[in-house]
Amino acid sequence: MFLIKNFREEQFMIHILASFKVKNDKLSDFIKLCNELIEESRKEEGCVSYHLQQNTERENYLVFVEEWKSNEAIEKHNSSEHFTRIVPLLVEMCEDAPIIQTFDRLV
């Protein structure tokens, strides 16, 4: 366990997967807003990467794949102007509530 702990302290990154099931008639608008969110989020201190992925079999299933340096960076991101303005609009375009999962890098 000691080796994993030391590795995690040196390479500490947090990954977020945010999954959305978008209403079919809102897909284009959803992606347009996502572009703005991604552009602004990538400028934030602590953002390592921020991408939107689309399911290859169901085009209205989208997932943000984010990588952050710290919980503090995520907290700042979640309270940023662009996040607090855009994310509620994205949620309105979905069939269900998004599923947000957070992961620590293990190996």
Side-chain angles (χ1 to χ4, degrees), residues 34-89:
C34 288
N35 282 324
E36 182 182 351
L37 178 63
I38 291 166
E39 182 180 332
E40 293 302 317
S41 298
R42 287 179 176 167
K43 297 175 187 175
E44 294 179 53
E45 185 176 337
C47 179
V48 177
S49 65
Y50 206 104
H51 300 278
L52 182 66
Q53 306 289 327
Q54 187 173 39
N55 187 294
T56 57
E57 297 174 8
R58 295 181 280 184
E59 69 178 6
N60 67 321
Y61 282 71
L62 302 169
V63 63
F64 283 103
V65 179
E66 309 169 29
E67 187 173 13
W68 295 90
K69 290 184 179 180
S70 68
N71 282 317
E72 293 79 18
I74 294 169
E75 289 171 13
K76 284 183 181 179
H77 168 66
N78 289 346
S79 62
S80 67
E81 184 278 330
H82 55 274
F83 185 91
T84 58
R85 177 176 48 84
I86 295 172
V87 170
L89 298 174

Short mmCIF file of all heavy atoms in Angstrom, two decimals, residues 34-89:
data_model
loop_
_atom_site.label_atom_id
_atom_site.label_comp_id
_atom_site.label_asym_id
_atom_site.label_seq_id
_atom_site.Cartn_x
_atom_site.Cartn_y
_atom_site.Cartn_z
N CYS A 34 -21.75 22.89 -25.15
CA CYS A 34 -20.60 22.14 -24.65
C CYS A 34 -19.29 22.72 -25.18
O CYS A 34 -18.29 22.78 -24.45
CB CYS A 34 -20.71 20.66 -25.05
SG CYS A 34 -21.97 19.76 -24.15
N ASN A 35 -19.29 23.15 -26.43
CA ASN A 35 -18.08 23.76 -26.99
C ASN A 35 -17.65 24.97 -26.19
O ASN A 35 -16.46 25.16 -25.92
CB ASN A 35 -18.31 24.13 -28.46
CG ASN A 35 -18.23 22.96 -29.38
OD1 ASN A 35 -17.44 22.05 -29.19
ND2 ASN A 35 -19.08 22.94 -30.39
N GLU A 36 -18.61 25.80 -25.81
CA GLU A 36 -18.29 26.98 -25.00
C GLU A 36 -17.77 26.56 -23.62
O GLU A 36 -16.77 27.11 -23.14
CB GLU A 36 -19.52 27.87 -24.85
CG GLU A 36 -19.25 29.13 -24.05
CD GLU A 36 -20.47 29.99 -23.85
OE1 GLU A 36 -21.54 29.73 -24.46
OE2 GLU A 36 -20.36 30.95 -23.06
N LEU A 37 -18.44 25.60 -23.00
CA LEU A 37 -18.01 25.13 -21.69
C LEU A 37 -16.59 24.56 -21.74
O LEU A 37 -15.76 24.86 -20.89
CB LEU A 37 -18.99 24.06 -21.16
CG LEU A 37 -18.66 23.43 -19.82
CD1 LEU A 37 -18.68 24.48 -18.71
CD2 LEU A 37 -19.63 22.30 -19.51
N ILE A 38 -16.32 23.77 -22.74
CA ILE A 38 -15.00 23.16 -22.88
C ILE A 38 -13.93 24.22 -23.11
O ILE A 38 -12.86 24.19 -22.49
CB ILE A 38 -15.00 22.13 -24.02
CG1 ILE A 38 -15.86 20.93 -23.61
CG2 ILE A 38 -13.60 21.70 -24.40
CD1 ILE A 38 -16.22 20.01 -24.76
N GLU A 39 -14.20 25.15 -23.99
CA GLU A 39 -13.22 26.21 -24.29
C GLU A 39 -12.84 26.98 -23.04
O GLU A 39 -11.66 27.23 -22.78
CB GLU A 39 -13.80 27.15 -25.35
CG GLU A 39 -12.84 28.24 -25.77
CD GLU A 39 -13.43 29.16 -26.83
OE1 GLU A 39 -14.30 28.71 -27.60
OE2 GLU A 39 -13.01 30.33 -26.87
N GLU A 40 -13.82 27.37 -22.25
CA GLU A 40 -13.55 28.13 -21.03
C GLU A 40 -12.91 27.27 -19.95
O GLU A 40 -12.01 27.72 -19.23
CB GLU A 40 -14.84 28.78 -20.51
CG GLU A 40 -15.39 29.85 -21.42
CD GLU A 40 -14.41 30.99 -21.66
OE1 GLU A 40 -13.75 31.43 -20.71
OE2 GLU A 40 -14.30 31.42 -22.83
N SER A 41 -13.36 26.04 -19.82
CA SER A 41 -12.83 25.15 -18.78
C SER A 41 -11.37 24.82 -19.00
O SER A 41 -10.59 24.72 -18.04
CB SER A 41 -13.66 23.87 -18.71
OG SER A 41 -15.00 24.15 -18.38
N ARG A 42 -10.97 24.66 -20.24
CA ARG A 42 -9.57 24.34 -20.54
C ARG A 42 -8.62 25.47 -20.16
O ARG A 42 -7.42 25.24 -20.00
CB ARG A 42 -9.42 24.01 -22.02
CG ARG A 42 -9.99 22.67 -22.39
CD ARG A 42 -9.85 22.40 -23.87
NE ARG A 42 -10.33 21.07 -24.21
CZ ARG A 42 -10.55 20.68 -25.46
NH1 ARG A 42 -10.33 21.51 -26.47
NH2 ARG A 42 -10.98 19.45 -25.68
N LYS A 43 -9.11 26.66 -20.00
CA LYS A 43 -8.29 27.81 -19.60
C LYS A 43 -8.05 27.85 -18.10
O LYS A 43 -7.19 28.59 -17.63
CB LYS A 43 -8.98 29.12 -20.01
CG LYS A 43 -9.15 29.31 -21.49
CD LYS A 43 -9.95 30.58 -21.77
CE LYS A 43 -10.31 30.73 -23.22
NZ LYS A 43 -11.18 31.91 -23.47
N GLU A 44 -8.81 27.07 -17.35
CA GLU A 44 -8.74 27.14 -15.89
C GLU A 44 -7.46 26.51 -15.35
O GLU A 44 -7.00 25.48 -15.86
CB GLU A 44 -9.94 26.42 -15.27
CG GLU A 44 -11.26 27.08 -15.53
CD GLU A 44 -12.41 26.33 -14.91
OE1 GLU A 44 -12.34 26.05 -13.70
OE2 GLU A 44 -13.37 26.03 -15.63
N GLU A 45 -6.94 27.13 -14.30
CA GLU A 45 -5.79 26.57 -13.61
C GLU A 45 -6.21 25.24 -12.99
O GLU A 45 -7.26 25.13 -12.37
CB GLU A 45 -5.31 27.52 -12.52
CG GLU A 45 -4.06 27.08 -11.84
CD GLU A 45 -3.56 28.07 -10.83
OE1 GLU A 45 -3.90 29.26 -10.94
OE2 GLU A 45 -2.83 27.65 -9.92
N GLY A 46 -5.40 24.22 -13.21
CA GLY A 46 -5.70 22.91 -12.65
C GLY A 46 -6.40 21.97 -13.61
O GLY A 46 -6.55 20.78 -13.32
N CYS A 47 -6.83 22.48 -14.76
CA CYS A 47 -7.47 21.62 -15.77
C CYS A 47 -6.37 20.99 -16.62
O CYS A 47 -5.61 21.68 -17.28
CB CYS A 47 -8.42 22.43 -16.65
SG CYS A 47 -9.21 21.41 -17.92
N VAL A 48 -6.30 19.67 -16.60
CA VAL A 48 -5.32 18.95 -17.39
C VAL A 48 -5.91 18.62 -18.77
O VAL A 48 -5.26 18.80 -19.79
CB VAL A 48 -4.88 17.65 -16.67
CG1 VAL A 48 -3.91 16.85 -17.51
CG2 VAL A 48 -4.28 17.99 -15.30
N SER A 49 -7.16 18.16 -18.77
CA SER A 49 -7.84 17.90 -20.04
C SER A 49 -9.35 17.94 -19.82
O SER A 49 -9.84 17.72 -18.70
CB SER A 49 -7.43 16.55 -20.64
OG SER A 49 -7.84 15.49 -19.80
N TYR A 50 -10.07 18.22 -20.89
CA TYR A 50 -11.53 18.38 -20.82
C TYR A 50 -12.08 18.08 -22.20
O TYR A 50 -11.85 18.85 -23.14
CB TYR A 50 -11.85 19.82 -20.43
CG TYR A 50 -13.17 20.04 -19.72
CD1 TYR A 50 -13.20 20.25 -18.35
CD2 TYR A 50 -14.37 20.06 -20.42
CE1 TYR A 50 -14.39 20.48 -17.68
CE2 TYR A 50 -15.57 20.29 -19.75
CZ TYR A 50 -15.57 20.50 -18.39
OH TYR A 50 -16.76 20.73 -17.73
N HIS A 51 -12.74 16.94 -22.36
CA HIS A 51 -13.22 16.50 -23.67
C HIS A 51 -14.67 16.05 -23.59
O HIS A 51 -15.15 15.62 -22.54
CB HIS A 51 -12.38 15.32 -24.18
CG HIS A 51 -10.93 15.65 -24.32
ND1 HIS A 51 -10.43 16.29 -25.41
CD2 HIS A 51 -9.88 15.44 -23.50
CE1 HIS A 51 -9.13 16.46 -25.26
NE2 HIS A 51 -8.77 15.94 -24.10
N LEU A 52 -15.35 16.09 -24.72
CA LEU A 52 -16.70 15.55 -24.85
C LEU A 52 -16.64 14.37 -25.80
O LEU A 52 -16.11 14.48 -26.91
CB LEU A 52 -17.66 16.62 -25.39
CG LEU A 52 -19.12 16.19 -25.51
CD1 LEU A 52 -19.74 15.92 -24.13
CD2 LEU A 52 -19.93 17.24 -26.25
N GLN A 53 -17.17 13.23 -25.36
CA GLN A 53 -17.19 12.02 -26.16
C GLN A 53 -18.63 11.66 -26.48
O GLN A 53 -19.52 11.89 -25.67
CB GLN A 53 -16.54 10.85 -25.38
CG GLN A 53 -15.15 11.14 -24.86
CD GLN A 53 -14.11 11.20 -25.95
OE1 GLN A 53 -14.20 10.50 -26.95
NE2 GLN A 53 -13.12 12.05 -25.79
N GLN A 54 -18.82 11.07 -27.67
CA GLN A 54 -20.16 10.66 -28.10
C GLN A 54 -20.18 9.14 -28.28
O GLN A 54 -19.27 8.56 -28.88
CB GLN A 54 -20.51 11.34 -29.42
CG GLN A 54 -21.93 11.12 -29.87
CD GLN A 54 -22.25 11.98 -31.10
OE1 GLN A 54 -21.42 12.15 -31.99
NE2 GLN A 54 -23.45 12.52 -31.13
N ASN A 55 -21.22 8.51 -27.75
CA ASN A 55 -21.39 7.07 -27.88
C ASN A 55 -21.47 6.71 -29.36
O ASN A 55 -22.18 7.38 -30.13
CB ASN A 55 -22.67 6.64 -27.15
CG ASN A 55 -22.84 5.15 -27.09
OD1 ASN A 55 -23.03 4.50 -28.11
ND2 ASN A 55 -22.79 4.60 -25.90
N THR A 56 -20.79 5.66 -29.77
CA THR A 56 -20.76 5.28 -31.19
C THR A 56 -22.04 4.60 -31.66
O THR A 56 -22.27 4.50 -32.86
CB THR A 56 -19.57 4.34 -31.48
OG1 THR A 56 -19.67 3.19 -30.63
CG2 THR A 56 -18.25 5.06 -31.22
N GLU A 57 -22.86 4.14 -30.73
CA GLU A 57 -24.09 3.45 -31.10
C GLU A 57 -25.35 4.28 -30.84
O GLU A 57 -26.38 4.07 -31.48
CB GLU A 57 -24.19 2.12 -30.37
CG GLU A 57 -23.08 1.17 -30.76
CD GLU A 57 -23.07 -0.10 -29.95
OE1 GLU A 57 -24.01 -0.33 -29.16
OE2 GLU A 57 -22.10 -0.87 -30.09
N ARG A 58 -25.27 5.19 -29.89
CA ARG A 58 -26.42 6.04 -29.55
C ARG A 58 -25.93 7.49 -29.49
O ARG A 58 -25.33 7.91 -28.50
CB ARG A 58 -27.03 5.61 -28.21
CG ARG A 58 -27.63 4.22 -28.28
CD ARG A 58 -28.23 3.82 -26.98
NE ARG A 58 -27.14 3.37 -26.11
CZ ARG A 58 -27.31 2.86 -24.91
NH1 ARG A 58 -28.52 2.78 -24.40
NH2 ARG A 58 -26.29 2.46 -24.20
N GLU A 59 -26.19 8.24 -30.54
CA GLU A 59 -25.60 9.56 -30.69
C GLU A 59 -26.03 10.55 -29.61
O GLU A 59 -25.36 11.55 -29.40
CB GLU A 59 -25.87 10.14 -32.07
CG GLU A 59 -27.31 10.50 -32.33
CD GLU A 59 -27.51 11.12 -33.70
OE1 GLU A 59 -26.57 11.16 -34.50
OE2 GLU A 59 -28.64 11.55 -33.97
N ASN A 60 -27.13 10.29 -28.92
CA ASN A 60 -27.58 11.23 -27.89
C ASN A 60 -27.01 10.90 -26.51
O ASN A 60 -27.36 11.54 -25.54
CB ASN A 60 -29.11 11.30 -27.84
CG ASN A 60 -29.75 10.02 -27.37
OD1 ASN A 60 -29.30 8.92 -27.72
ND2 ASN A 60 -30.80 10.14 -26.58
N TYR A 61 -26.11 9.93 -26.42
CA TYR A 61 -25.40 9.63 -25.18
C TYR A 61 -24.01 10.26 -25.26
O TYR A 61 -23.19 9.86 -26.08
CB TYR A 61 -25.26 8.12 -24.98
CG TYR A 61 -26.51 7.45 -24.48
CD1 TYR A 61 -27.62 7.31 -25.31
CD2 TYR A 61 -26.59 6.95 -23.19
CE1 TYR A 61 -28.78 6.69 -24.86
CE2 TYR A 61 -27.75 6.32 -22.74
CZ TYR A 61 -28.83 6.19 -23.58
OH TYR A 61 -29.97 5.57 -23.13
N LEU A 62 -23.80 11.27 -24.42
CA LEU A 62 -22.54 12.01 -24.43
C LEU A 62 -21.91 11.97 -23.04
O LEU A 62 -22.62 11.90 -22.03
CB LEU A 62 -22.78 13.46 -24.84
CG LEU A 62 -23.44 13.64 -26.22
CD1 LEU A 62 -23.86 15.07 -26.42
CD2 LEU A 62 -22.48 13.23 -27.30
N VAL A 63 -20.60 12.04 -23.01
CA VAL A 63 -19.91 12.04 -21.72
C VAL A 63 -18.73 13.03 -21.77
O VAL A 63 -17.97 13.05 -22.72
CB VAL A 63 -19.43 10.62 -21.33
CG1 VAL A 63 -18.43 10.05 -22.30
CG2 VAL A 63 -18.87 10.61 -19.92
N PHE A 64 -18.66 13.85 -20.74
CA PHE A 64 -17.47 14.68 -20.53
C PHE A 64 -16.43 13.81 -19.84
O PHE A 64 -16.75 13.12 -18.87
CB PHE A 64 -17.78 15.88 -19.62
CG PHE A 64 -18.51 17.00 -20.29
CD1 PHE A 64 -19.86 17.17 -20.09
CD2 PHE A 64 -17.83 17.88 -21.12
CE1 PHE A 64 -20.54 18.22 -20.69
CE2 PHE A 64 -18.50 18.93 -21.73
CZ PHE A 64 -19.86 19.09 -21.52
N VAL A 65 -15.21 13.87 -20.33
CA VAL A 65 -14.08 13.19 -19.70
C VAL A 65 -13.11 14.29 -19.30
O VAL A 65 -12.54 14.97 -20.15
CB VAL A 65 -13.42 12.18 -20.66
CG1 VAL A 65 -12.24 11.49 -19.99
CG2 VAL A 65 -14.44 11.16 -21.16
N GLU A 66 -12.99 14.48 -17.98
CA GLU A 66 -12.20 15.59 -17.45
C GLU A 66 -11.06 15.06 -16.60
O GLU A 66 -11.20 14.04 -15.93
CB GLU A 66 -13.07 16.49 -16.57
CG GLU A 66 -14.35 16.94 -17.22
CD GLU A 66 -15.28 17.60 -16.23
OE1 GLU A 66 -14.81 18.20 -15.24
OE2 GLU A 66 -16.51 17.52 -16.43
N GLU A 67 -9.95 15.79 -16.60
CA GLU A 67 -8.83 15.45 -15.73
C GLU A 67 -8.38 16.73 -15.03
O GLU A 67 -8.13 17.75 -15.69
CB GLU A 67 -7.68 14.84 -16.52
CG GLU A 67 -6.57 14.31 -15.65
CD GLU A 67 -5.51 13.56 -16.44
OE1 GLU A 67 -5.50 13.64 -17.68
OE2 GLU A 67 -4.70 12.88 -15.80
N TRP A 68 -8.29 16.66 -13.72
CA TRP A 68 -7.97 17.82 -12.89
C TRP A 68 -6.81 17.52 -11.96
O TRP A 68 -6.62 16.37 -11.54
CB TRP A 68 -9.19 18.23 -12.06
CG TRP A 68 -10.32 18.69 -12.91
CD1 TRP A 68 -11.33 17.93 -13.44
CD2 TRP A 68 -10.55 20.02 -13.38
NE1 TRP A 68 -12.17 18.71 -14.19
CE2 TRP A 68 -11.71 20.00 -14.18
CE3 TRP A 68 -9.87 21.23 -13.20
CZ2 TRP A 68 -12.22 21.14 -14.79
CZ3 TRP A 68 -10.39 22.36 -13.81
CH2 TRP A 68 -11.54 22.31 -14.59
N LYS A 69 -6.05 18.56 -11.60
CA LYS A 69 -4.90 18.40 -10.72
C LYS A 69 -5.28 18.27 -9.25
O LYS A 69 -4.52 17.69 -8.48
CB LYS A 69 -3.93 19.56 -10.88
CG LYS A 69 -3.22 19.57 -12.22
CD LYS A 69 -2.20 20.69 -12.29
CE LYS A 69 -1.49 20.65 -13.63
NZ LYS A 69 -0.49 21.72 -13.73
N SER A 70 -6.44 18.81 -8.84
CA SER A 70 -6.78 18.80 -7.42
C SER A 70 -8.28 19.00 -7.21
O SER A 70 -8.98 19.47 -8.11
CB SER A 70 -6.03 19.90 -6.68
OG SER A 70 -6.51 21.18 -7.10
N ASN A 71 -8.72 18.66 -6.02
CA ASN A 71 -10.11 18.93 -5.64
C ASN A 71 -10.38 20.43 -5.61
O ASN A 71 -11.49 20.86 -5.94
CB ASN A 71 -10.43 18.31 -4.27
CG ASN A 71 -10.66 16.82 -4.37
OD1 ASN A 71 -11.33 16.34 -5.27
ND2 ASN A 71 -10.07 16.07 -3.45
N GLU A 72 -9.40 21.20 -5.23
CA GLU A 72 -9.56 22.65 -5.20
C GLU A 72 -9.83 23.21 -6.59
O GLU A 72 -10.67 24.09 -6.76
CB GLU A 72 -8.32 23.33 -4.58
CG GLU A 72 -8.11 23.03 -3.12
CD GLU A 72 -7.48 21.66 -2.83
OE1 GLU A 72 -6.88 21.06 -3.77
OE2 GLU A 72 -7.62 21.18 -1.70
N ALA A 73 -9.13 22.68 -7.58
CA ALA A 73 -9.36 23.12 -8.96
C ALA A 73 -10.77 22.76 -9.41
O ALA A 73 -11.44 23.56 -10.09
CB ALA A 73 -8.33 22.48 -9.88
N ILE A 74 -11.26 21.59 -9.00
CA ILE A 74 -12.62 21.18 -9.35
C ILE A 74 -13.64 22.09 -8.68
O ILE A 74 -14.62 22.50 -9.30
CB ILE A 74 -12.86 19.70 -8.96
CG1 ILE A 74 -11.98 18.79 -9.82
CG2 ILE A 74 -14.33 19.33 -9.13
CD1 ILE A 74 -11.94 17.35 -9.35
N GLU A 75 -13.41 22.43 -7.42
CA GLU A 75 -14.32 23.32 -6.70
C GLU A 75 -14.40 24.69 -7.38
O GLU A 75 -15.49 25.25 -7.54
CB GLU A 75 -13.89 23.46 -5.25
CG GLU A 75 -14.12 22.20 -4.43
CD GLU A 75 -13.50 22.27 -3.04
OE1 GLU A 75 -13.09 23.37 -2.60
OE2 GLU A 75 -13.42 21.21 -2.40
N LYS A 76 -13.25 25.22 -7.79
CA LYS A 76 -13.25 26.50 -8.50
C LYS A 76 -13.99 26.38 -9.83
O LYS A 76 -14.75 27.26 -10.22
CB LYS A 76 -11.81 26.98 -8.74
CG LYS A 76 -11.15 27.53 -7.52
CD LYS A 76 -9.76 28.05 -7.86
CE LYS A 76 -9.08 28.60 -6.63
NZ LYS A 76 -7.72 29.08 -6.93
N HIS A 77 -13.76 25.29 -10.52
CA HIS A 77 -14.44 25.05 -11.80
C HIS A 77 -15.96 25.00 -11.60
O HIS A 77 -16.71 25.64 -12.33
CB HIS A 77 -13.94 23.74 -12.41
CG HIS A 77 -14.75 23.24 -13.55
ND1 HIS A 77 -14.83 23.92 -14.75
CD2 HIS A 77 -15.52 22.14 -13.69
CE1 HIS A 77 -15.61 23.25 -15.58
NE2 HIS A 77 -16.05 22.17 -14.95
N ASN A 78 -16.39 24.26 -10.59
CA ASN A 78 -17.82 24.09 -10.35
C ASN A 78 -18.51 25.38 -9.93
O ASN A 78 -19.73 25.49 -10.04
CB ASN A 78 -18.07 23.01 -9.29
CG ASN A 78 -17.77 21.62 -9.82
OD1 ASN A 78 -17.62 21.39 -11.01
ND2 ASN A 78 -17.64 20.68 -8.91
N SER A 79 -17.75 26.37 -9.48
CA SER A 79 -18.36 27.65 -9.10
C SER A 79 -18.05 28.76 -10.11
O SER A 79 -18.42 29.91 -9.90
CB SER A 79 -17.89 28.06 -7.69
OG SER A 79 -16.49 28.24 -7.67
N SER A 80 -17.40 28.40 -11.21
CA SER A 80 -17.05 29.40 -12.23
C SER A 80 -18.30 29.91 -12.93
O SER A 80 -19.35 29.25 -12.97
CB SER A 80 -16.09 28.80 -13.26
OG SER A 80 -16.75 27.79 -14.01
N GLU A 81 -18.18 31.08 -13.53
CA GLU A 81 -19.32 31.70 -14.22
C GLU A 81 -19.82 30.83 -15.35
O GLU A 81 -21.01 30.60 -15.50
CB GLU A 81 -18.91 33.10 -14.75
CG GLU A 81 -20.05 33.86 -15.40
CD GLU A 81 -20.32 33.47 -16.85
OE1 GLU A 81 -19.37 33.06 -17.56
OE2 GLU A 81 -21.49 33.54 -17.27
N HIS A 82 -18.90 30.34 -16.17
CA HIS A 82 -19.32 29.54 -17.33
C HIS A 82 -19.98 28.22 -16.90
O HIS A 82 -20.95 27.80 -17.51
CB HIS A 82 -18.16 29.30 -18.30
CG HIS A 82 -16.95 28.69 -17.70
ND1 HIS A 82 -15.98 29.43 -17.09
CD2 HIS A 82 -16.57 27.40 -17.58
CE1 HIS A 82 -15.02 28.63 -16.65
NE2 HIS A 82 -15.37 27.40 -16.93
N PHE A 83 -19.47 27.59 -15.86
CA PHE A 83 -20.06 26.34 -15.39
C PHE A 83 -21.46 26.56 -14.81
O PHE A 83 -22.39 25.86 -15.19
CB PHE A 83 -19.14 25.69 -14.33
CG PHE A 83 -19.61 24.35 -13.86
CD1 PHE A 83 -19.18 23.19 -14.48
CD2 PHE A 83 -20.48 24.23 -12.78
CE1 PHE A 83 -19.60 21.94 -14.05
CE2 PHE A 83 -20.91 22.99 -12.34
CZ PHE A 83 -20.48 21.85 -12.97
N THR A 84 -21.59 27.54 -13.94
CA THR A 84 -22.89 27.77 -13.28
C THR A 84 -23.94 28.30 -14.26
O THR A 84 -25.13 28.15 -14.03
CB THR A 84 -22.76 28.73 -12.09
OG1 THR A 84 -22.21 29.98 -12.54
CG2 THR A 84 -21.87 28.14 -11.00
N ARG A 85 -23.51 28.89 -15.36
CA ARG A 85 -24.44 29.37 -16.38
C ARG A 85 -24.81 28.27 -17.37
O ARG A 85 -25.99 28.10 -17.71
CB ARG A 85 -23.81 30.55 -17.12
CG ARG A 85 -24.64 31.10 -18.26
CD ARG A 85 -24.02 32.34 -18.90
NE ARG A 85 -22.60 32.20 -19.22
CZ ARG A 85 -22.14 31.63 -20.34
NH1 ARG A 85 -22.99 31.17 -21.25
NH2 ARG A 85 -20.84 31.55 -20.56
N ILE A 86 -23.84 27.50 -17.82
CA ILE A 86 -24.07 26.55 -18.91
C ILE A 86 -24.63 25.21 -18.44
O ILE A 86 -25.54 24.66 -19.08
CB ILE A 86 -22.77 26.34 -19.72
CG1 ILE A 86 -22.38 27.65 -20.41
CG2 ILE A 86 -22.91 25.21 -20.72
CD1 ILE A 86 -21.03 27.63 -21.09
N VAL A 87 -24.12 24.67 -17.36
CA VAL A 87 -24.54 23.32 -16.95
C VAL A 87 -26.04 23.21 -16.70
O VAL A 87 -26.66 22.24 -17.16
CB VAL A 87 -23.69 22.81 -15.77
CG1 VAL A 87 -24.26 21.52 -15.20
CG2 VAL A 87 -22.24 22.59 -16.21
N PRO A 88 -26.68 24.16 -16.02
CA PRO A 88 -28.14 24.04 -15.88
C PRO A 88 -28.87 24.01 -17.22
O PRO A 88 -29.88 23.31 -17.37
CB PRO A 88 -28.53 25.29 -15.07
CG PRO A 88 -27.29 25.63 -14.31
CD PRO A 88 -26.16 25.29 -15.24
N LEU A 89 -28.37 24.73 -18.21
CA LEU A 89 -28.97 24.71 -19.55
C LEU A 89 -28.80 23.33 -20.20
O LEU A 89 -29.70 22.83 -20.86
CB LEU A 89 -28.35 25.79 -20.43
CG LEU A 89 -28.55 27.24 -19.96
CD1 LEU A 89 -27.75 28.19 -20.84
CD2 LEU A 89 -30.02 27.60 -19.95
#
